Amino acid sequence: MNSRAAKPGPAGLRFLRMSRMGAQLLTVAVLAFVASTMAYALMPGRPAAGPPSEAPGVDLAWLFLRPRDPGMLALLATVWAALGYHLLRLWLEIRRIARAGWPPAQSAGPPVPEDLLRQHDRDMSLLEHLPLILALLVGAVWPWLLAQTPVMAFLLSAVTLAGALAAALRGIRQGAVVKRSSTLGFIAGWALLVCLTVFAGLLEQRLGVPQKLAVGLAMLIGAVAAVSVQLRMPRRTGFSVALIWGLIGIAASTVSTDATIATATVVAIAIIAVALVRATT
């Protein structure tokens, strides 16, 4: 009886084979992203070359990628922790669903476990995790390109953002139910802010746009996008929490050097907060 109960049935084995491939690739992507961004963040000194936004004393992208302020460092650490939590929950879910296909220890009963596994066939497939896997693998590379090839870095950061947003908006499939995830939303919110700060630096560096105008434009785009995304994730606060957290860090870092940027950031915070309240009530 114990040996029979210790082995999954045919449906359980099939589910394990299908699910572990997606989970294993996602694990590799998470480890690559965390290791790369951690190495970049902890690397001493400033980049060898950087955007002219350093002239006023604040490189906004640097605030997120190589933070020195405790609040912004905590934001990056929370992104790492969110990825770890998502990965842990994924493996636990695989184990829980696979065990439903194990043959019962004492009585056969109705084929409920087989039905359950068929309902969850797509939960852990590679296609379900592909957007996040792509986002993380690209996100592990592009920060290292920012100093020398900012245009390519921006394009790749947009790919990271698209993958993270796709994962957050797709949610987590559990059979016929798709649940939105605040964890994935938090990661997507951080990715949006990083992409926008790189965009603002690119406008300033390549097109000669004044930093105030570049950041103001980025904040406007970000606020509009944030409202649209948040309203599609009702009762999930992770996306907006990450945005507000990061924007507070920008405001705190620029208030003594450029009050205009700090003011624009506060306005963006207010807009996102209104959308968050509407989405959670």
Side-chain angles (χ1 to χ4, degrees):
M1 181 178 65
N2 292 337
S3 60
R4 179 175 174 82
K7 297 179 180 180
L13 289 173
R14 183 177 66 252
F15 177 83
L16 286 175
R17 285 194 297 268
M18 295 177 60
S19 62
R20 281 179 175 172
M21 177 179 294
Q24 287 169 351
L25 288 177
L26 182 59
T27 301
V28 171
V30 169
L31 293 176
F33 177 83
V34 172
S36 178
T37 52
M38 184 177 296
Y40 189 85
L42 300 179
M43 186 170 57
R46 299 183 71 85
S53 59
E54 293 177 2
V58 177
D59 179 359
L60 298 183
W62 206 56
L63 290 177
F64 291 89
L65 298 174
R66 300 180 65 183
R68 296 297 179 263
D69 176 79
M72 298 302 285
L73 185 58
L75 174 60
L76 182 56
T78 304
V79 171
W80 297 334
L83 287 170
Y85 172 75
H86 177 71
L87 197 60
L88 176 62
R89 184 171 60 179
L90 171 64
W91 281 105
L92 291 177
E93 185 70 6
I94 289 175
R95 181 181 179 184
R96 183 187 70 82
I97 297 175
R99 289 175 70 92
W102 293 15
Q106 294 181 353
S107 60
V112 175
E114 296 287 340
D115 293 340
L116 178 62
L117 285 175
R118 279 194 292 270
Q119 293 174 6
H120 290 266
D121 271 348
R122 297 173 57 195
D123 287 15
M124 308 299 174
S125 67
L126 178 59
L127 290 178
E128 285 294 315
H129 301 296
L130 188 59
L132 185 57
I133 291 172
L134 178 63
L136 295 175
L137 292 178
V138 174
V141 174
W142 73 258
W144 301 94
L145 306 177
L146 183 58
Q148 302 299 329
T149 55
V151 175
M152 179 60 68
F154 166 68
L155 294 176
L156 293 178
S157 73
V159 173
T160 298
L161 170 60
L165 281 176
L169 291 174
R170 285 169 67 101
I172 300 176
R173 181 185 297 275
Q174 294 182 349
V177 179
V178 176
K179 297 183 178 181
R180 305 298 183 190
S181 170
S182 287
T183 303
L184 294 178
F186 190 92
I187 297 166
W190 178 85
L192 175 60
L193 279 179
V194 174
C195 184
L196 289 175
T197 56
V198 174
F199 173 67
L202 190 63
L203 288 179
E204 186 182 358
Q205 179 182 14
R206 296 295 182 177
L207 302 180
V209 178
Q211 188 185 35
K212 295 179 182 180
L213 181 58
V215 175
L217 179 60
M219 291 298 106
L220 176 62
I221 295 173
V224 173
V227 170
S228 176
V229 172
Q230 181 59 70
L231 293 180
R232 296 185 182 188
M233 295 191 297
R235 301 189 181 279
R236 294 296 180 267
T237 61
F239 180 75
S240 292
V241 168
L243 287 173
I244 293 173
W245 188 341
L247 289 172
I248 290 174
I250 293 176
S253 300
T254 58
V255 66
S256 60
T257 58
D258 197 322
T260 303
I261 294 178
T263 302
T265 304
V266 171
V267 172
I269 292 173
I271 295 173
I272 296 170
V274 171
L276 178 61
V277 171
R278 180 178 176 181
T280 54
T281 56

